């Protein structure tokens, strides 16, 4: 295992320490239980937005804590759900009196633990809502999931709902908006290689030198199909077609096209995928009005890419464009 | 070779096509010769800033074209210098009457071709200056370089000089500022793995499973030493110590600490390196007043990291903070 780490046990602790040291004006890192919180939390009179999940998907979620996005993120061990006490403490830390929304990726452990945390917080009088993101069209039910897995749309939901919270929406409005983003977003990913979880020390799965896996999950969960490696254009078509079939995007629709690196895929390749995806959409009369390209929801160093398509309307477009100031995403400030 | 490409010959062409399709409001892509130019070029009354080099280091340089940074970037084939006609055409395309600065990484081919392009442009009456970046403390003279190689400081110079140009500085001032950034910046990198150049199809070098290379170049040029893999903290110390010894940073200095991924190293590891670098600097009484962490000058999918330290003063800090709006870097707008 070749990694820039000191020991597998300390990966998350040291990494979030580094994040806190790098951006002290944006985030504070709390240890035992571990969570990353906006430096100015709790923001009075604002709905708090909390997410979290296993580590190894950076910059999601800790890199998205800050003005206009998340109020707190709860990092679990690598590819392992955070615990209810992390979520409970984070929820308390960001409650500015207007309630807290949990944005939860659909993995059984995450969903269960966020539910327990919400119950604990409600028992203390806090208003808490939760929205589960389940946008991955690859498979129904998976290794850690009943129903569809939550993937790339999570990043877009955190940005868009975070902007609405910053503008002063209510908890009910934030939850409704998050449901809307989830309903209008679809994703699918693929892998060329596995990654190595530090405390495991060997690849999560073996993939022969001439094969790829289509529909892979962000923890290396099995996808739809293993097959011989194909060209970038063919792969792009294999990812985008099920997305387009699942949500009937129509001629004239505006979309946000998000091409994501699984971690180990360089920028030069991502834009080759982007190019073909843009061409397919344009040929169908779908207008790409916003683009987002880079490593935003990763699986450590896995080589591969995912595509997320979000159907936009004026509300979502305006909220996407609103200022954001986090370690990983910053514009308008 | 596992890559998201269609054919090795078309990697650069298709990738820059994708970049142009993704950000049409920011950049235009010109083909034959290939260059990426600000959508609003030439900006009248502004010094034009042009850079370029081999592809495979994305987002550098094409991802840095836009308001507040580069006016144009010339992408060569992967790890291959662009040609003088690319640079010449890009120079003409961005000359708004106030002259053009070439920011050139110190590789023999890049330097020679930018000199030829400058001569061609000058013969047509354009004012052109060039500044060579040579910030890599690892080795004196290298595979493609006489003197030190140009690496991470290039990104910082493009941002800082780009901001000054946006504010209306003269060509002489832009060149002097670029020299200053180069004089105050130092870098060193290391690799855990090689990368695979698409048209070569096999790893640039072999590195056994338990070894790393300290002082590596961004094209895989030999570094200072191959040795057994060490911990992230030890590696960070081995990168930072030569940097600190080379430029006598002093107690009380302010620095920008840039921890860069070579491409295949995930964020969770980068922040472990950042944490230790921050600790070493703090213990020496050096204040990290700006931080920059991510894959900004890469070597395709190479696993590894580099550290760049830039000594800051008020002028450089203010220019770093100025708005930028490019595909890969955006803030303040």
């Amino acid at each position: 295992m070749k990694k820039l780490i000191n020991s597998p046990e300390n990966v998350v602790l040291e990494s979030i320490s580094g994040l806190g040291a790098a951006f002290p004006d944006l985030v504070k890192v709390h240890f035992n239980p571990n969570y990353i919180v906006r430096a100015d939390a709790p923001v009075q009179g604002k709905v708090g937005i909390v997410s979290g999940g296993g580590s190894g998907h950076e910059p999601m979620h800790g890199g998205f804590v800050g003005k206009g996005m998340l109020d707190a993120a709860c990092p679990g061990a690598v590819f392992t759900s955070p615990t209810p006490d992390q979520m409970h403490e984070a929820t308390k830390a960001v409650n500015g009196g207007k309630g807290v929304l949990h944005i939860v990726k659909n993995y059984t452990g995450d969903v269960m633990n966020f539910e327990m945390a919400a119950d604990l917080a409600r028992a203390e009088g806090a208003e808490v809502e939760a929205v589960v993101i389940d946008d991955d069209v690859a498979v129904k039910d998976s290794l850690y999931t009943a129903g569809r897995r939550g993937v790339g749309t999570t990043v877009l939901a955190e940005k868009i709902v975070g902007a609405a919270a910053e503008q002063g929406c209510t908890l009910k409005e934030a939850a409704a908006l998050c449901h809307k983003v989830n309903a209008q977003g679809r994703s699918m990913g693929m892998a060329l290689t596995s990654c190595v979880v530090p405390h495991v020390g060997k690849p999560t799965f073996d993939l022969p030198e001439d094969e790829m896996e289509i529909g892979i999950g962000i923890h290396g969960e099995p996808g739809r199909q293993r097959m011989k490696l194909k060209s970038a254009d063919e792969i792009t078509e294999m990812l985008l077609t099920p997305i387009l079939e699942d949500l009937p995007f129509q001629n004239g629709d505006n979309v946000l096209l998000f091409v994501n690196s699984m971690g180990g895929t360089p920028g030069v390749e991502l834009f080759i995928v982007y190019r073909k995806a843009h061409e397919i959409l344009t040929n169908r009369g779908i207008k790409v009005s916003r683009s987002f390209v880079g490593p935003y929801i990763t699986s450590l160093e896995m080589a591969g890419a995912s595509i997320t398509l979000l159907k936009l309307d004026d509300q979502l477009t305006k909220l996407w464009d609103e200022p954001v100031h986090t370690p990983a995403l910053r514009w308008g400030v």
Side-chain angles (χ1 to χ4, degrees), chain A:
Chain A
M1 174 176 59
K2 282 189 145 178
K3 289 184 180 293
L4 289 169
I5 64 174
N6 293 304
S7 71
E9 307 78 61
N10 292 334
V11 162
V12 173
L13 192 80
E14 293 179 350
S15 188
I16 63 176
S17 298
L19 183 73
F23 302 104
D25 50 331
L26 300 182
V27 300
K28 274 187 218 158
V29 178
H30 189 279
F31 299 99
N32 284 318
N34 298 342
Y35 57 89
I36 298 142
V37 70
R38 265 175 75 152
D40 58 353
V43 183
Q44 294 305 320
K46 189 186 95 65
V47 172
I49 313 288
V50 174
S51 192
S55 293
H57 308 299
E58 289 68 23
M60 187 187 78
H61 302 273
F64 299 143
V65 174
K67 193 173 157 71
M69 212 159 165
L70 296 179
D71 291 82
C74 306
V78 172
F79 292 1
T80 303
S81 296
T83 57
D85 68 319
Q86 290 178 262
M87 299 160 178
H88 179 212
E89 291 298 323
T91 301
K92 287 197 288 186
V94 305
N95 194 350
K98 226 172 151 177
V100 177
L101 177 70
H102 292 170
I103 300 181
V104 186
K105 298 194 303 302
N106 191 30
Y107 300 98
T108 305
D110 290 22
V111 172
M112 190 175 69
N113 290 357
F114 265 112
E115 276 175 6
M116 286 178 61
D119 286 343
L120 290 168
R122 286 187 195 113
E124 295 167 348
E127 268 195 291
V128 181
E129 296 279 341
V131 176
V132 174
I133 304 290
D134 58 351
D135 61 315
D136 188 340
V137 302
V139 291
K140 173 108 185 119
D141 300 334
S142 183
L143 201 53
Y144 310 114
T145 312
R148 286 178 167 181
R149 300 175 299 220
V151 287
T153 299
T154 314
V155 179
L156 311 183
E158 290 176 2
K159 168 65 186 82
I160 287 169
V161 178
E166 208 68 47
Q167 291 181 340
C169 75
T170 65
L171 178 58
K172 292 245 171 305
E173 288 165 343
L177 178 65
C178 198
H179 279 297
K180 174 177 165 178
V181 172
N182 186 48
Q184 300 192 182
R186 296 291 189 281
S187 302
M188 191 151 136
M190 59 77 59
L192 294 171
T193 67
S194 178
C195 56
V196 176
V197 174
H199 59 262
V200 177
K202 60 186 181 64
T204 305
F205 55 89
D206 290 311
L207 203 48
E209 181 56 29
D210 61 343
E211 289 188 16
M212 62 175 181
E213 180 144 348
I214 293 280
I216 194 103
I218 57 172
H219 312 94
E221 306 96 308
R224 287 190 169 189
Q225 201 180 350
R226 284 199 179 185
M227 59 175 70
K228 295 288 174 198
L229 189 57
K230 293 193 184 296
S231 72
D233 282 1
E234 289 170 304
I235 291 167
T236 304
E237 189 132 26
M238 293 175 72
L239 296 179
L240 197 51
T241 303
I243 289 172
L244 288 166
E245 283 170 354
D246 196 77
L247 185 64
F249 293 94
Q250 285 169 14
N251 197 309
D253 276 352
N254 277 281
V255 296
L256 185 159
L257 171 56
F258 170 22
V259 177
N260 174 62
S261 164
M262 291 294 198
T265 283
V268 74
E269 295 177 35
L270 276 193
F271 278 102
I272 293 175
V273 172
Y274 179 93
R275 171 187 163 278
K276 183 63 183 178
H278 188 277
E279 180 188 294
I280 294 169
L281 293 168
T282 303
N283 287 345
R284 290 196 182 215
I286 296 170
K287 183 171 161 45
V288 179
S289 57
R290 293 294 181 276
S291 296
F292 192 51
V293 186
Y296 293 113
I297 167 172
T298 62
S299 302
L300 297 168
E301 69 281 1
M302 184 186 283
S306 64
I307 295 177
T308 296
L309 217 56
L310 175 68
K311 198 167 170 170
L312 291 173
D313 57 17
D314 282 353
Q315 180 196 26
L316 299 189
T317 305
K318 278 181 193 156
L319 290 167
W320 176 257
D321 289 342
E322 279 293 301
V324 61
H325 196 177
T326 70
L329 274 197
R330 178 178 171 191
W331 60 68
V333 285

